[in-house]
Amino acid sequence: MTKRFSSLLEVRSAIDANQITLPQLVDHYLDRISTQQQLNAILEVFSDEAKTQAQLIQDKIKQGNAGKLAGMVMAIKDNIVYKDHPASAASKILSGFTSLFSATVVERLLAEDAIIIARTNCDEFAMGASNENSAFGPVLNALDNSRVPGGSSGGSAVAVQADMCLASLGSDTGGSIRQPAAFTGSYGLYPSYGSMSRWGLIAFASSFDQIGPFTSSVSDMQLLMEVMAGPDAHDATMLQTKPDYAKASKGPLKIAYIKDCIEHPGIEAEVKQATEAFIAELKGKGHTVEGIDFPYLDSMVPCYQILTTAEASSNLSRFSGLTYGHRSSQATDLESTYKLSRTEGFGPEVKRRIMLGTFVLTSDYFDTYYTKAQKVRQLIRQKTLDIFKNFDVIITPTTSTVAFKVGEKSNDPIAMYLADLFTVQANLAGIPGLSIPYATHPGNQMPIGMQLMSNISNEGLLFELAKQFESKA
Ligand code: GLN
């Protein structure tokens, strides 16, 4: 899709050349937001604030004391809190909730003069792969309104796709940034687990969740990570050092692809062809590319589902109708407050996951499911890390199909869960995964993304490789 600007570099040179001012740029994005409401990507626009900030930051640019992100206009997913602003994780249970503080990543963005223009629609509590689970209705893919944008960060993906902002934030527990990035033709990153503070991210499954960006360029991705990542005392699961995002390789890379991914019966022929073309192109650029066996593919989604639902059932117990958000008006005592508030406030997918998670944690089934899945996760993690003894990067298609039709999978949760087939590996192992726009489906013109994964904290290699394909898709 045509965008006014594809990177902060372009914005800044246009501002420096007096072709546009920051207030005019904000007006451009506000205009895009208001003329594309049918996509349902945005839950709330912060127009007055964005305009005020634009004026202040424009002055700073003139005076030469603006931050690194001056000119970066962003939208944030509705599960990332922003002081004095509502956040609902696209759930009715958080209606009326306004945050008393900002997520660490939001504070870091603002400190470098980014402007936050809106909060975006998503699947309720980030549970979904199509954005059809929002309490505020589905988000539509801007390239074809009969198709989904992917999920759960579908609003953030479409905000970038449809030029409503320059970059956005999503969260990724099993693919919720990379899959919508692939479905909408943007860059999307699941950062190394522990490189991004989860302080201020409304938790889904804490040992998997990371916040990450959607961008239209690798340079913006690199810059945003540079600003946002790094230790934070508020999050005890953080890595002690920040990855070096500019770290370059010393020569051609050793790249592995997982044979089972390409041979998988669920993969669409055009996605398979694009992956083969990608492999050929990598070889053409001098990299070594080898197919490897990784016989755990079919265990990954079940393992992910058991562990994430278990964590979610615990994390979501805080929504009790007592402390914040929705409280049932029918409640008469403590127990009915819990029961009715949760019954009325949560949507069907969230209820399904709380039930599943509660089930796998019951004492009768704990060892059969939860403990077993923990062992499987450990095995997948170790086997994945072992690959990096011989290779720098693992590649897969980001998804096995292009964006599917609205309603196509909404009554089949298992089919929907399989949309995460290639993405959950990074979350299970804690390694970074970057989805890059690579090709378009020759029949329906929908984007096809490739996923690049590296060892923990080696995002620099992924950015370097992604740049080699930057004007491709
Ligand atoms: N689609 C996956 C799920 O439904 C991933 C969600 C996510 O990454 N937040 O769980």
Side-chain angles (χ1 to χ4, degrees), residues 49-349:
E49 273 176 85
K51 286 182 177 180
T52 311
Q53 280 305 106
Q55 195 52 60
L56 289 172
I57 296 166
Q58 176 72 43
D59 293 344
K60 282 191 180 181
I61 294 174
K62 264 197 211 125
Q63 291 151 12
N65 59 2
K68 286 190 198 123
L69 298 181
M72 180 70 87
V73 181
M74 300 184 68
I76 60 173
K77 187 175 178 177
D78 192 35
N79 63 353
I80 300 169
V81 304
Y82 181 11
K83 190 175 191 306
D84 299 331
H85 295 74
S88 76
S91 180
K92 283 196 198 128
I93 207 153
L94 272 166
S95 56
F97 171 74
T98 296
S99 183
L100 297 172
F101 67 100
S102 288
T104 300
V105 299
V106 167
E107 271 177 6
R108 290 179 183 175
L109 292 174
L110 296 175
E112 290 294 346
D113 290 335
I115 292 176
I116 296 178
I117 198 167
R119 64 184 168 98
T120 60
N121 202 351
C122 58
D123 281 306
E124 186 176 359
F125 285 100
M127 296 175 185
S130 65
N131 223 302
E132 293 167 289
N133 296 337
S134 165
F136 305 104
V139 178
L140 307 180
N141 194 310
L143 273 169
D144 175 349
N145 293 179
S146 71
R147 292 178 190 269
V148 302
S152 63
S153 315
S156 293
V158 171
V160 170
Q161 179 191 32
D163 204 25
M164 302 179 198
C165 55
L166 186 58
S168 62
L169 293 187
S171 67
D172 191 316
T173 305
S176 278
I177 294 174
R178 290 159 290 157
Q179 187 249 21
F183 279 8
T184 57
S186 301
Y187 293 88
L189 177 71
Y190 174 68
S192 297
Y193 183 84
S195 61
M196 294 280 272
S197 172
R198 288 181 297 103
W199 179 251
L201 171 65
I202 298 174
F204 164 9
S206 311
S207 76
F208 295 76
D209 298 342
Q210 287 286 281
I211 295 171
F214 288 89
T215 65
S216 299
S217 64
V218 183
S219 59
D220 280 0
M221 177 76 72
Q222 215 164 349
L223 179 63
L224 286 169
M225 290 308 295
E226 193 60 59
V227 169
M228 291 189 291
D232 174 19
H234 287 306
D235 178 352
T237 58
M238 293 207 73
L239 298 167
Q240 289 313 300
T241 47
K242 175 170 155 183
D244 175 1
Y245 297 108
K247 187 173 162 190
S249 63
K250 293 187 189 70
L253 296 170
K254 286 199 71 186
I255 299 172
Y257 67 89
I258 297 173
K259 286 191 239 160
D260 278 4
C261 289
I262 301 186
E263 300 306 331
H264 200 276
I267 196 169
E268 209 173 348
E270 290 76 6
V271 174
K272 183 174 175 175
Q273 282 153 17
T275 313
E276 284 162 349
F278 185 54
I279 292 170
E281 231 187 306
L282 284 165
K283 287 182 181 162
K285 290 182 189 294
H287 303 293
T288 316
V289 189
E290 269 176 51
I292 57 162
D293 293 315
F294 192 78
Y296 311 100
L297 203 58
D298 291 334
S299 314
M300 291 202 273
V301 170
C303 173
Y304 163 84
Q305 283 292 338
I306 291 171
L307 296 176
T308 54
T309 51
E311 292 188 29
S313 73
S314 160
N315 273 326
L316 271 60
S317 64
R318 62 171 64 90
F319 303 105
S320 59
L322 293 183
T323 18
Y324 31 57
H326 174 72
R327 179 179 301 167
S328 174
S329 56
Q330 312 298 313
T332 49
D333 58 8
L334 185 63
E335 192 168 330
S336 64
T337 303
Y338 289 156
K339 276 193 184 159
L340 291 171
S341 305
R342 288 168 70 82
T343 302
E344 293 162 7
F346 288 134
E349 181 63 22

Side-chain angles (χ1 to χ4, degrees), residues 1 88 92 119 153 157 226 232 354 356 388 411 416 441:
M1 293 196 68
S88 76
K92 283 196 198 128
R119 64 184 168 98
S153 315
E226 193 60 59
D232 174 19
I354 292 174
L356 263 170
F388 295 117
N411 293 321
M416 190 70 89
H441 186 293

